[in-house]
Amino acid sequence: MENLELLNTKIAYSVKKLIAINSISYCYTELPIDRHCALFGRNNLGKTSLLNALKLHLFPEISFNDCKAKFAFKSSKGELYSTEDSYHYYFPSDSSFLILEAENIHGPFCLILFKSNSSFGYQRLALPCAYDEIRAQFWDINNTGVNNGLGSPVSGLGIPKIHALYQQYKDAGAVMLKTKKEIKEKLFSHNPMQRAKGRYCLVPLKEGGLERELSAFRQLMNFTFEIAKTDTKGLTETFATIIESGKINTQDKLHQDLQTILDEYNELRQTQDKLKAITNYRDDFKQLSDLHQSRNELQQRFSGTFQAYFKYLNNTEQQIRLQIGQVEPEVIRLFEAQQQLDKKGIEQQKQDSEYTGQLKALYKDLAKFKEQIEHFQKIQHEYPDAAIAELRNTLQAKQDELDEKISHLEDSQKAIDALTAKVALQNSNVADQAKKKQALGHYEKLLTSRIDEHSATVLRTLNKHFGEIIVDVDSNQTAIIERFTHLFSVEPTGLSFLGEPFSREPIKSSQQIKEQLQQELGSLEKASQQLGHEIIELQKFASASGEYQKQQCQEAQKEREKIQNELKIVNAIETTEQQRQVKAAEIDEIENVQRQLLQQLEETQGFLEQNRNDHAAAKEKLESLRQQLKDATHLLQYLQKLKSDDLKTTDDMREVHSVSFSDLKEMEGDQAKLNNLKQSLDEKINEFVQCGHFRLPVEIAYSSYSNEQQSMILDALNNTFVALPDQQDTLQSRIIEHNKMTGTKISELTGNRSHIRAFINKVNKQFEHYSISNLKDIRVEIELDHRFEELVNELDRTNLNTTDIHDDGLYQRLNQFCADFFIGGRGNRILEMSKIITNVKYSYKKEHRDKREQKDQSTGTNALINCTLLTILLSDLLAQDSELMLPVIFDEFTALDEYNQRTAIQAATQHGFALFCASPTQTAEVVAVVDYYITLDDFHANTIYDAGGERDVVFHHFWERLYEVTEPQAL
């Protein structure tokens, strides 16, 4: 028996605590949510908002975008908060966190929400531990010296601490949940036998978090915040979502576009009418075809005559032209000679223009080289005594200094490293200066001052540092030194040791050595001064703000660019001078060639003038012959006027030996007959074009059609009448398919009504197991839109078994429904579940009464009914062997009398919910009923995370409680 009981025991999933750190109105609040509790505090303190944060944990979201649809955060007036307001309310800074402690069969775990880098985004860290283990990372509860013993903020609170926790618990199974897919897999998969998969399951949904399950769960979670409402109209969207989510296939959802039926009906009816109209035009098409054939025969004869006359007149014209050809060659020759001379003159002028263009470009290049040379001279003026190599080295050194400066400005670490090196070098210089100053200040104490001049010269030549040593030597040591140095002899070329050359260092006197010391000291002092400036500048770079470094860097880059340009000019000066000389030589050469060309052009223009005179005389003679040709071609021109655009070429052409004016007049009469036939044909074609029943290669009627257009139109008409039987068969097939589709869609409407009824029967069947207060036989009733009910009832009585288009009355009824139903803010014309459910209400029978009533009950009784309904609906979503404990919210709990308060507590307890009562004022009645309470106004702190002081409420661990006199008051 015990084993059977264990099998029947459901696996518990529960949420234990909500912790808010630097969020909402709270500095630090740790709230148990697995028991009944009353929250007291002034309005806008964030009582309900804290519990609203559960949605951020329980819904698989990663951002506040589209916040109104995702979370439905509402004000006390019922107004939805915007995305930006909600995000900054819950996550005002990087040190804002929302933590949920939960527990399942695998043990306790924590979900930590924190800001992400995406727009209005947040992330989750799942840790396999109870909150007690990590509390010290967010609040120092042991520091009782501040905040009236409530503890104090911890240092270094921020997102890096979250990543540190992740690394700390990573081997134990901690995971960072960044995507919706990861959240669904971890938080909604019921895996009691697989710890790795089920470790962080919060809500054990049957299907592991399919979209339809999540949509229904989202609605139920919103319902927990309205558990005490007596107005059940708000349940319509919840029921619509849950009913749709319960369907096996997502394609079974009610998403009916009735307009598609109406649109297809209209299109089929139009097609049917059009095919009937086309059938009525068969005789007219026969008349049109006969008229077209008559015109083609007459046009064929006209074309043959025209071609014969044209051939004869054309040959005659050619003979006259042959005579003209005997005098025309000379005109042509003179014309061609004129063309060649014109071409030659143009080419010479073009060549002259090219030389002018080349000279312009060369002078431009020459000016550029001169400009570069002048720039070089300006640079030289800045360094008057420097040779080109020295100038180049000086500019390169400046560029290197600027490169180093830019490097230090761009990289602070390089500036620090350079600063360290410069300081070390400065210290070394200071030591050298001190040593040289001592040598100059106590010159008589130097070792070289205590020995003879020869010995001093030898030692200084061997090593200049002997000239800086101050030591005390006795007479014996002095004698030893002098004996050693006398082994060397001082020669003009250097030292010799025992007669052998030893060193070629130049020999310097004591005065020269002293002057050298002074010069070296001066150089060291100058170097130290420069190092000092560099150290100060590096210190500025290392400690300056980013804006200052950026500004200095830009100025240095600008100066470096100037130096680089000057360095390029200096490096290229020899080449520049060579190029200048080359360009000057090219200019001289082209100017000489251009002078010769101008002489040749003058000669060409003289020859051209003579040729023009000769050509004018020959042309005058030719015009006389052409006048004769004009008379011969008069008949041919007349004939050409009779030629129409639609003249056809034919091989049936008779031979003629003469053409007279009367012959052409006869042809003109035949042309008039053709025009009359064409006009009749065009008018008949327009009857087909204008009726609108035919698909033709023209869209509008024209006053005239070409032969090609007429043929295309007749072909199109012929194809239409040939295809008419097939089109009629296709139409009949489409009508049958349309009737089938219409029947299917109407069946879907009646089927969804049946599905709603089945769902309500299922819910009410489970209500039979509960009796609430003095109520029995409690039922949930769904009211459907009366227009939808009327439509479905009428459709049930409609006969859809027909092969012709359904009666117009059916479509008129559908059209009437659409016009009536989708008016006044109903959005698109898609019929959906949420649109046909208009109300959800309760009905019941009271004890000892048979009449069913629908009157609103007390708030407490209504909360009990809502809790029961929530349990039933939630059980359909959860895995069969699991149960989920959630908090339900009861705003303004103090408005109830004591009986209803106790009823509400009883309802929540009976169904495994933790009831949270929120009220701005604390009352003894509520405290006595709820047992546990928190007065948030009593927990304001002054040592907090928020510098602005807006989030200053601190609460944790203990809450106030009333005890029975006999109950031990142990904390």
Side-chain angles (χ1 to χ4, degrees):
M1 289 297 293
E2 291 180 0
N3 290 335
L4 289 176
E5 290 178 1
L6 287 173
L7 290 174
N8 292 327
T9 301
K10 293 191 174 183
I11 299 172
Y13 290 79
S14 62
V15 289
K16 311 291 285 184
K17 291 180 183 179
L18 264 178
I19 300 95
I21 300 104
N22 198 24
S23 176
I24 315 174
S25 298
Y26 305 108
C27 174
Y28 178 85
T29 293
E30 185 177 333
L31 180 66
I33 54 175
D34 57 352
R35 63 192 71 194
H36 307 310
C37 181
L39 291 176
F40 298 117
R42 56 180 169 80
N43 288 329
N44 298 321
L45 191 60
K47 304 182 295 298
T48 305
S49 298
L50 179 59
L51 296 168
N52 254 322
L54 260 179
K55 297 180 183 180
L56 299 175
H57 287 283
L58 294 175
F59 295 170
E61 303 294 346
I62 56 176
S63 80
F64 279 67
N65 290 314
D66 197 17
C67 177
K68 295 179 180 180
K70 289 179 181 177
F71 305 115
F73 294 141
K74 298 179 180 178
S75 67
S76 58
K77 297 179 181 179
E79 298 173 346
L80 292 171
Y81 287 112
S82 68
T83 293
E84 186 172 1
D85 290 341
S86 299
Y87 186 67
H88 292 305
Y89 186 63
Y90 284 102
F91 294 104
S93 74
D94 287 348
S95 61
S96 298
F97 303 97
L98 292 170
I99 304 176
L100 175 68
E101 182 186 53
E103 187 171 7
N104 59 25
I105 190 173
H106 301 298
F109 60 92
C110 290
L111 296 177
I112 304 176
L113 305 187
F114 58 97
K115 289 181 73 171
S116 70
N117 293 328
S118 61
S119 176
F120 301 114
Y122 63 95
Q123 294 185 31
R124 287 171 173 79
L125 172 62
L127 297 178
C129 65
Y131 180 68
D132 290 344
E133 287 188 30
I134 62 173
R135 180 185 292 108
Q137 302 295 325
F138 301 96
W139 190 255
D140 186 357
I141 201 170
N142 297 315
N143 185 5
T144 58
V146 297
N147 292 333
N148 297 321
L150 293 173
S152 66
V154 298
S155 61
L157 183 65
I159 293 176
K161 182 163 288 191
I162 301 302
H163 292 290
L165 280 172
Y166 171 61
Q167 294 299 327
Q168 179 182 345
Y169 284 90
K170 186 175 182 180
D171 292 339
V175 292
M176 196 74 77
L177 304 178
K178 298 181 179 180
T179 66
K180 292 184 179 181
K181 180 181 178 182
E182 293 171 343
I183 296 170
K184 291 177 184 178
E185 290 176 351
K186 294 295 183 182
L187 269 57
F188 301 103
S189 297
H190 177 57
N191 289 286
M193 305 304 293
Q194 300 182 54
R195 180 180 177 85
K197 292 184 177 180
R199 183 65 184 90
Y200 299 112
C201 182
L202 263 181
V203 182
L205 297 178
K206 284 181 181 178
E207 303 295 334
L210 295 180
E211 196 58 40
R212 63 172 185 260
E213 283 186 312
L214 293 170
S215 179
F217 177 70
R218 193 186 300 268
Q219 292 289 346
L220 290 180
M221 274 301 300
N222 290 330
F223 186 37
T224 64
F225 284 80
E226 301 176 351
I227 204 68
K229 287 192 174 180
T230 57
D231 181 10
T232 56
K233 281 193 175 182
L235 288 172
T236 57
E237 186 70 29
T238 301
F239 268 71
T241 304
I242 293 175
I243 290 172
E244 292 289 37
S245 68
K247 295 178 180 178
I248 297 176
N249 298 316
T250 55
Q251 59 266 31
D252 292 336
K253 283 187 176 183
L254 179 58
H255 191 81
Q256 189 69 270
D257 187 356
L258 297 179
Q259 190 63 40
T260 59
I261 298 177
L262 296 172
D263 292 343
E264 187 174 50
Y265 158 72
N266 291 328
E267 194 272 332
L268 289 174
R269 178 64 75 188
Q270 291 172 6
T271 302
Q272 189 179 58
D273 294 343
K274 182 177 180 179
L275 293 180
K276 288 180 180 178
I278 290 173
T279 303
N280 294 334
Y281 270 83
R282 284 188 181 273
D283 292 340
D284 294 279
F285 177 66
K286 177 69 168 56
Q287 295 176 8
L288 179 64
S289 298
D290 293 343
L291 191 61
H292 184 256
Q293 182 177 357
S294 298
R295 180 175 180 271
N296 280 346
E297 291 174 354
L298 180 57
Q299 192 175 44
Q300 187 74 17
R301 291 197 302 272
F302 181 87
S303 297
T305 301
F306 179 89
Q307 291 179 43
Y309 288 176
F310 179 82
K311 180 179 181 181
Y312 172 79
L313 293 174
N314 188 55
N315 290 338
T316 300
E317 184 185 47
Q318 288 179 0
Q319 291 175 5
I320 296 174
R321 289 185 182 279
L322 184 61
Q323 296 173 10
I324 293 174
Q326 296 174 357
V327 296
E328 194 173 36
E330 180 63 16
V331 175
I332 295 173
R333 185 190 66 77
L334 290 171
F335 177 76
E336 289 176 350
Q338 181 180 329
Q339 292 290 322
Q340 291 176 357
L341 289 170
D342 281 337
K343 181 179 179 181
K344 183 177 181 180
I346 291 170
E347 289 177 352
Q348 288 173 340
Q349 290 175 348
K350 181 180 178 182
Q351 185 64 48
D352 179 60
S353 297
E354 289 178 358
Y355 286 147
T356 301
Q358 291 176 10
L359 287 171
K360 183 177 179 181
L362 288 171
Y363 274 114
K364 184 177 179 180
D365 291 342
L366 185 64
K368 182 178 67 174
F369 294 139
K370 288 181 178 180
E371 182 181 356
Q372 291 178 351
I373 292 170
E374 289 173 359
H375 196 169
F376 171 75
Q377 291 171 349
K378 290 180 180 179
I379 297 171
Q380 265 191 329
H381 184 70
E382 294 178 8
Y383 307 94
D385 297 328
I388 293 179
E390 294 174 350
L391 188 57
R392 188 177 293 128
N393 293 336
T394 300
L395 291 174
Q396 185 63 51
K398 282 190 175 184
Q399 181 177 325
D400 294 341
E401 289 175 5
L402 288 169
D403 287 341
E404 184 179 11
K405 181 177 180 179
I406 291 169
S407 173
H408 294 161
L409 286 167
E410 291 177 342
D411 188 340
S412 297
Q413 186 58 47
K414 287 184 178 181
I416 293 171
D417 294 343
L419 176 60
T420 303
K422 297 287 185 183
V423 170
L425 182 59
Q426 179 74 305
N427 292 337
S428 175
N429 279 3
V430 170
D432 288 346
Q433 287 179 57
K435 189 173 181 182
K436 293 185 185 300
K437 284 181 179 180
Q438 185 179 26
L440 288 170
H442 302 84
Y443 197 78
E444 70 282 356
K445 295 182 179 181
L446 294 176
L447 172 62
T448 53
S449 297
R450 299 189 177 190
I451 58 179
D452 60 63
E453 182 63 25
H454 175 82
S455 298
T457 299
V458 170
L459 288 180
R460 286 193 298 262
T461 303
L462 291 174
N463 191 323
K464 69 175 183 177
H465 292 297
F466 278 118
E468 300 175 9
I469 296 175
I470 298 176
V471 293
D472 291 330
V473 292
D474 55 25
S475 57
N476 290 331
Q477 293 170 332
T478 299
I480 293 171
I481 292 171
E482 291 179 346
R483 283 198 300 274
F484 168 71
T485 56
H486 278 77
L487 296 175
F488 293 86
S489 59
V490 178
E491 305 292 343
T493 58
L495 292 181
S496 294
F497 182 71
L498 298 177
E500 292 294 329
F502 181 80
S503 170
R504 295 192 178 275
E505 287 292 327
I507 306 301
K508 296 182 180 179
S509 65
S510 297
Q511 182 59 32
Q512 289 175 326
I513 293 298
K514 190 173 183 180
E515 291 174 355
Q516 181 179 340
L517 271 175
Q518 289 175 338
Q519 290 176 356
E520 291 175 352
L521 179 60
S523 298
L524 284 172
E525 289 175 346
K526 185 176 180 180
S528 293
Q529 185 178 5
Q530 178 62 26
L531 280 171
H533 292 316
E534 292 175 0
I535 289 170
I536 291 171
E537 185 178 60
L538 286 171
Q539 287 173 338
K540 285 183 180 180
F541 294 165
S543 60
S545 65
E547 186 62 31
Y548 174 80
Q549 290 179 340
K550 182 179 179 181
Q551 178 185 355
Q552 290 296 312
C553 186
Q554 291 174 346
E555 292 177 359
Q557 289 172 341
K558 185 175 181 181
E559 178 64 18
R560 180 179 62 182
E561 184 178 354
K562 175 178 173 295
I563 295 299
Q564 286 175 338
N565 290 335
E566 291 181 349
L567 189 58
K568 287 179 181 178
I569 291 172
V570 172
N571 287 335
I573 188 61
E574 293 90 346
T575 303
T576 301
E577 177 58 27
Q578 292 174 0
Q579 291 175 338
R580 185 196 66 78
Q581 294 174 1
V582 169
K583 293 296 179 184
E586 289 181 7
I587 288 171
D588 291 341
E589 182 179 355
I590 291 174
E591 286 179 343
N592 290 333
V593 173
Q594 189 179 34
R595 283 191 292 271
Q596 297 175 7
L597 179 65
L598 290 174
Q599 292 177 356
Q600 296 172 2
L601 178 60
E602 185 177 355
E603 293 176 358
T604 300
Q605 290 175 343
F607 292 141
L608 181 61
E609 181 64 24
Q610 179 63 41
N611 180 273
R612 283 174 180 165
N613 294 333
D614 295 342
H615 178 262
K619 186 176 180 181
E620 184 179 354
K621 183 178 180 180
L622 181 62
E623 288 298 327
S624 176
L625 293 173
R626 284 177 176 171
Q627 182 61 42
Q628 299 174 28
L629 177 64
K630 181 178 179 181
D631 297 337
T633 59
H634 177 69
L635 289 175
L636 184 60
Q637 292 174 353
Y638 189 180
L639 178 65
Q640 291 284 24
K641 292 179 181 180
L642 299 177
K643 182 179 180 181
S644 61
D645 293 336
D646 52 3
L647 185 70
K648 295 182 178 180
T649 302
T650 178
D651 295 332
D652 184 16
M653 183 177 61
R654 62 191 177 92
E655 185 176 355
V656 297
H657 301 286
S658 65
V659 176
S660 65
F661 180 77
S662 60
D663 293 332
L664 298 183
K665 290 295 288 185
E666 184 179 349
M667 279 193 70
E668 191 173 8
D670 291 340
Q671 187 183 53
K673 293 178 183 179
L674 280 172
N675 290 338
N676 291 333
L677 282 173
K678 183 178 185 306
Q679 183 178 356
S680 299
L681 191 61
D682 289 339
E683 291 173 355
K684 197 65 178 176
I685 288 175
N686 280 339
E687 292 180 15
F688 285 87
V689 174
Q690 292 170 347
C691 74
H693 301 313
F694 298 90
R695 182 176 295 177
L696 300 174
V698 293
E699 297 181 356
I700 58 174
Y702 294 93
S703 60
S704 177
Y705 297 91
S706 66
N707 287 345
E708 183 180 2
Q709 286 177 317
Q710 290 176 354
S711 298
M712 290 172 61
I713 291 172
L714 263 72
D715 289 343
L717 290 172
N718 184 65
N719 293 337
T720 299
F721 285 103
V722 169
L724 184 59
D726 289 340
Q727 290 178 343
Q728 291 171 333
D729 292 341
T730 301
L731 174 63
Q732 186 60 37
S733 299
R734 290 185 60 199
I735 290 173
I736 294 172
E737 286 298 319
H738 169 75
N739 292 344
K740 181 179 178 182
M741 182 268 290
T742 302
T744 300
K745 288 186 177 292
I746 290 175
S747 298
E748 289 176 3
L749 296 181
T750 57
N752 272 279
R753 183 174 66 175
S754 299
H755 190 87
I756 293 170
R757 290 173 176 173
F759 175 78
I760 289 302
N761 290 337
K762 177 183 175 183
V763 172
N764 288 331
K765 189 72 175 174
Q766 297 182 60
F767 255 112
E768 292 176 359
H769 301 295
Y770 301 96
S771 90
I772 300 172
S773 187
N774 64 336
L775 308 180
K776 64 178 183 178
D777 195 13
I778 299 172
R779 294 181 186 175
V780 178
E781 297 181 3
I782 290 182
E783 289 184 358
L784 301 182
D785 189 283
H786 69 91
R787 293 165 294 191
F788 174 76
E789 289 274 27
E790 292 169 1
L791 176 66
V792 173
N793 290 334
E794 290 183 31
L795 294 177
D796 280 341
R797 299 192 295 270
T798 302
N799 179 20
L800 301 176
N801 297 320
T802 176
T803 58
D804 198 3
I805 296 180
H806 289 136
D807 184 73
D808 290 348
L810 169 65
Y811 299 101
Q812 291 171 3
R813 181 66 185 91
L814 288 175
N815 190 56
Q816 179 186 356
F817 171 78
C818 290
D820 185 33
F821 189 82
F822 295 107
I823 61 174
R826 283 186 172 269
N828 55 36
R829 295 171 69 89
I830 302 298
L831 194 63
E832 296 174 326
M833 187 70 69
S834 60
K835 293 179 180 178
I836 65 174
I837 298 177
T838 59
N839 193 16
V840 176
K841 58 186 180 180
Y842 301 124
S843 68
Y844 53 86
K845 292 180 181 178
K846 290 187 177 180
E847 290 183 355
H848 312 300
R849 295 186 187 179
D850 294 330
K851 183 179 179 182
R852 180 166 294 279
E853 299 181 15
Q854 293 182 347
K855 295 180 180 178
D856 290 340
Q857 292 295 302
S858 65
T859 305
T861 302
N862 205 69
L864 186 56
I865 296 174
N866 285 341
C867 283
T868 305
L869 178 62
L870 180 60
T871 301
I872 293 171
L873 297 179
L874 193 59
S875 65
D876 275 351
L877 290 178
L878 299 180
Q880 188 173 1
D881 59 344
S882 66
E883 61 181 2
L884 175 63
M885 181 176 182
L886 290 172
V888 293
I889 316 304
F890 203 133
D891 270 337
E892 308 303 334
F893 191 68
T894 54
L896 303 181
D897 58 27
E898 182 180 348
Y899 174 79
N900 275 313
Q901 289 175 350
R902 293 189 181 279
T903 301
I905 293 293
Q906 176 190 357
T909 303
Q910 180 180 355
H911 296 288
F913 298 114
L915 182 65
F916 272 78
C917 314
S919 175
T921 58
Q922 175 180 334
T923 66
E925 292 81 4
V926 173
V927 172
V929 170
V930 179
D931 193 36
Y932 295 99
Y933 68 92
I934 301 169
T935 305
L936 295 176
D937 284 327
D938 295 341
F939 297 97
H940 290 278
N942 49 28
T943 304
I944 59 178
Y945 289 113
D946 176 22
E950 295 180 7
R951 297 176 290 280
D952 64 345
V953 176
V954 176
F955 177 81
H956 57 79
H957 272 312
F958 306 106
W959 50 90
E960 303 173 32
R961 176 181 178 185
L962 290 181
Y963 297 89
E964 298 291 343
V965 173
T966 58
E967 185 178 357
Q969 301 183 21
L971 293 179

